[in-house]
Amino acid sequence: MKLMVIGGGGREHAIIRKLKENPAAEVIYALPGNGGIAADAECVDIKATDIAGITAFAKENAIDYAVVAPDDPLVLGCVDALEAEGIPCFGPRANAAIIEGSKVFSKNLMRKYGIPTAAYETFDDMDAALAYLDTAPVPTVIKADGLALGKGVIIAQTRDEAKAAVVSMMRDRQFGKSGEHIVIEEFLTGPEVSVLSFTDGETLVPMVSSMDHKRAGDNDTGLNTGGMGTVAPNPYYTADIAEQCMNTIFLPTVRAMKAEGREFRGCLYFGLMITPDGPKVIEYNCRFGDPETQVVLPLLESDLLTVMQAVTNGTLKDTEVRFSAGHACCVVLASAGYPVSYGKGYEITVPADVAKQVYVAGAALKDGKLVTAGGRVLGVTATADTLKQAVTAAYEAADKITFENRYCRRDIGARALAAGK
Ligand code: AMP
Ligand code: GLY
């Protein structure tokens, strides 16, 4: 089979590695991939948002199956375009990807179907939003409606901060068109859990839970990032919480999307907060998380390609999806200065004995050598029987990798270890 994976980060690298385990995968193209992915797939210089270019490539190369991994092509209708050419895909169509593409849509969906989430109001008029903030409780959370590279969420401690956020989104268009509509919602507290799931629109199978570490600095200080590391499973996600989530959140969401004529097939990602009132949805994503995928897929024992095809064909109910009982930890190696500004082009040295643990996110090939090309450069994953062993092994492997300005958090997994005791 000829496979094609859209995207070019650490998540896509982890997906490609797992797909390669199936001998039926003769060729895997990555569009655009990156300098590190090039060791595992054939990279093609077509952007993930170039839907026409992707579709033309797929036709010309007789692609048998496509995996669309990032949010923007999904929201732009990449799956719809490929399906129109008869190419089966893993990923939701645009009318279902809206669950991530519009926070106004997802909040209204949850309200309509009674799915637990933070109380909220939506606004498309700045003055109305500002007037509402005169009496809203603080802290409060302001969210731009559309995709904003994970940055469209502001937690305001005071009313003045909240108003400044509204003005920057709605008048100054800090996040472009995403700020035309906004959500102002209740500030929730509690540990966060990420649950990725496979769903074919009827059946939903949760993957092993995980914990992201979003802040740049140790002890969850500093700016929000795309994710500085992950562990799986997440100790806060107990069997009891998992059952509550299945009954009050996961299945109701899949049924709600179907009832709305927006059947969701692909990976549905639940960003949850375990509040004192039970688990609530913080956000939905229409795709695998990054760097959650880098700890979840290494624990998948079943064949990924088989599971993905079952999602596409609507036969997930009859397909085994088995995870190991082990633990995984992924430490992200970034360029110092991320997420603000950082240098690029530094040579990366990865010893051969850890290469298989490395998922490359932001790196390019220059004169045959791997050099840094992004803020998050790579993720290093280890799996083990216990979380402690996985964390230790991930740092041991990560510390063998060198490049100038290399930065990582030193406390990935620390909170999970403390909670697990
Ligand atoms: P999101 O992009 O929606 O995942 O939001 C980014 C981060 O903001 C989340 O991971 C949470 O840590 C935080 N956050 C979002 N919404 C809320 C909320 N209603 N209450 C507290 N924290 C929130
Ligand atoms: N790690 C969070 C995300 O992929 O959205």
Side-chain angles (χ1 to χ4, degrees), residues 14-190:
I15 291 172
I16 287 167
R17 281 262 180 79
K18 203 73 194 174
L19 288 172
K20 272 180 75 170
E21 289 178 9
N22 187 324
E26 296 158 70
V27 192
I28 305 182
Y29 294 103
L31 280 62
N34 67 42
I37 290 177
D40 289 294
E42 286 192 33
C43 295
V44 182
D45 191 15
I46 296 176
K47 280 207 189 83
T49 47
D50 178 2
I51 310 298
I54 291 167
T55 313
F57 176 86
K59 262 168 64 183
E60 273 160 34
N61 292 279
I63 296 298
D64 297 300
Y65 191 66
V67 178
V68 183
D71 48 4
D72 23 8
L74 289 166
V75 171
L76 287 170
C78 191
V79 168
D80 309 56
L82 289 167
E83 281 181 351
E85 297 296 343
I87 296 158
C89 294
F90 182 85
R93 296 178 184 155
N95 76 348
I98 192 175
I99 199 165
E100 173 170 4
S102 166
K103 292 200 191 285
V104 173
F105 170 86
S106 65
K107 294 298 289 192
N108 289 342
L109 183 87
M110 288 186 268
R111 178 179 279 166
K112 181 170 171 186
Y113 291 91
I115 297 165
T117 188
Y120 73 102
E121 297 289 337
T122 65
F123 296 93
D124 47 23
D125 176 71
M126 184 173 77
D127 292 331
L130 293 175
Y132 170 79
L133 283 173
D134 279 333
T135 55
V138 284
T140 189
V141 185
I142 323 280
K143 299 187 172 183
D145 178 45
L147 297 179
L149 296 169
K151 295 188 188 116
V153 174
I154 291 171
I155 297 176
Q157 299 298 331
T158 65
R159 295 211 168 100
D160 284 345
E161 246 179 84
K163 288 183 179 180
V166 165
V167 169
S168 82
M169 282 184 196
M170 300 193 84
R171 190 192 67 197
D172 304 340
R173 292 295 160 91
Q174 188 191 357
F175 305 110
K177 265 177 80 72
S178 289
E180 262 174 30
H181 311 283
I182 65 163
V183 174
I184 301 183
E185 72 177 27
E186 174 195 11
F187 176 76
L188 299 176
T189 55

Side-chain angles (χ1 to χ4, degrees), residues 1-339:
M1 279 179 80
K2 286 173 141 186
L3 309 183
M4 171 173 93
V5 174
I6 308 305
R11 162 184 58 201
E12 288 75 10
H13 200 177
I15 291 172
I16 287 167
R17 281 262 180 79
K18 203 73 194 174
L19 288 172
K20 272 180 75 170
E21 289 178 9
N22 187 324
E26 296 158 70
V27 192
I28 305 182
Y29 294 103
L31 280 62
N34 67 42
I37 290 177
D40 289 294
E42 286 192 33
C43 295
V44 182
D45 191 15
I46 296 176
K47 280 207 189 83
T49 47
D50 178 2
I51 310 298
I54 291 167
T55 313
F57 176 86
K59 262 168 64 183
E60 273 160 34
N61 292 279
I63 296 298
D64 297 300
Y65 191 66
V67 178
V68 183
D71 48 4
D72 23 8
L74 289 166
V75 171
L76 287 170
C78 191
V79 168
D80 309 56
L82 289 167
E83 281 181 351
E85 297 296 343
I87 296 158
C89 294
F90 182 85
R93 296 178 184 155
N95 76 348
I98 192 175
I99 199 165
E100 173 170 4
S102 166
K103 292 200 191 285
V104 173
F105 170 86
S106 65
K107 294 298 289 192
N108 289 342
L109 183 87
M110 288 186 268
R111 178 179 279 166
K112 181 170 171 186
Y113 291 91
I115 297 165
T117 188
Y120 73 102
E121 297 289 337
T122 65
F123 296 93
D124 47 23
D125 176 71
M126 184 173 77
D127 292 331
L130 293 175
Y132 170 79
L133 283 173
D134 279 333
T135 55
V138 284
T140 189
V141 185
I142 323 280
K143 299 187 172 183
D145 178 45
L147 297 179
L149 296 169
K151 295 188 188 116
V153 174
I154 291 171
I155 297 176
Q157 299 298 331
T158 65
R159 295 211 168 100
D160 284 345
E161 246 179 84
K163 288 183 179 180
V166 165
V167 169
S168 82
M169 282 184 196
M170 300 193 84
R171 190 192 67 197
D172 304 340
R173 292 295 160 91
Q174 188 191 357
F175 305 110
K177 265 177 80 72
S178 289
E180 262 174 30
H181 311 283
I182 65 163
V183 174
I184 301 183
E185 72 177 27
E186 174 195 11
F187 176 76
L188 299 176
T189 55
E192 287 185 57
V193 178
S194 305
V195 180
L196 283 55
S197 68
F198 291 108
T199 177
D200 60 6
E202 284 283 339
T203 302
L204 178 140
V205 182
M207 300 183 219
V208 61
S209 63
S210 54
M211 182 192 288
D212 196 0
H213 297 67
K214 288 197 177 174
R215 301 294 202 93
D218 283 3
N219 302 314
D220 297 322
T221 54
L223 293 173
N224 251 321
T225 71
M228 294 300 296
T230 35
V231 294
N234 184 323
Y236 291 103
Y237 192 69
T238 59
D240 176 45
I241 296 283
E243 193 185 330
Q244 285 181 53
C245 288
M246 186 58 114
N247 295 327
T248 66
I249 297 175
F250 302 166
L251 292 175
T253 301
V254 166
R255 290 185 194 128
M257 290 297 278
K258 188 164 184 189
E260 294 290 311
R262 297 172 182 275
E263 192 176 70
F264 190 105
R265 292 188 181 205
C267 173
L268 184 53
Y269 168 135
F270 299 90
L272 306 167
M273 199 171 262
I274 314 301
T275 77
D277 300 329
K280 296 191 179 181
V281 177
I282 289 282
E283 65 164 348
Y284 291 115
N285 290 325
C286 65
R287 53 172 175 84
F288 284 95
D290 188 342
E292 285 87 346
T293 307
Q294 292 91 312
V295 285
V296 168
L297 288 188
L299 295 174
L300 177 66
E301 289 179 341
S302 305
D303 176 58
L304 180 61
L305 180 58
T306 306
V307 175
M308 285 183 157
Q309 288 179 302
V311 165
T312 306
N313 298 333
T315 55
L316 189 57
K317 185 164 65 72
D318 308 316
T319 305
E320 189 189 37
V321 185
R322 197 181 62 249
F323 283 86
S324 95
H327 295 255
C329 172
C330 173
V331 175
V332 169
L333 299 184
S335 289
Y338 172 73

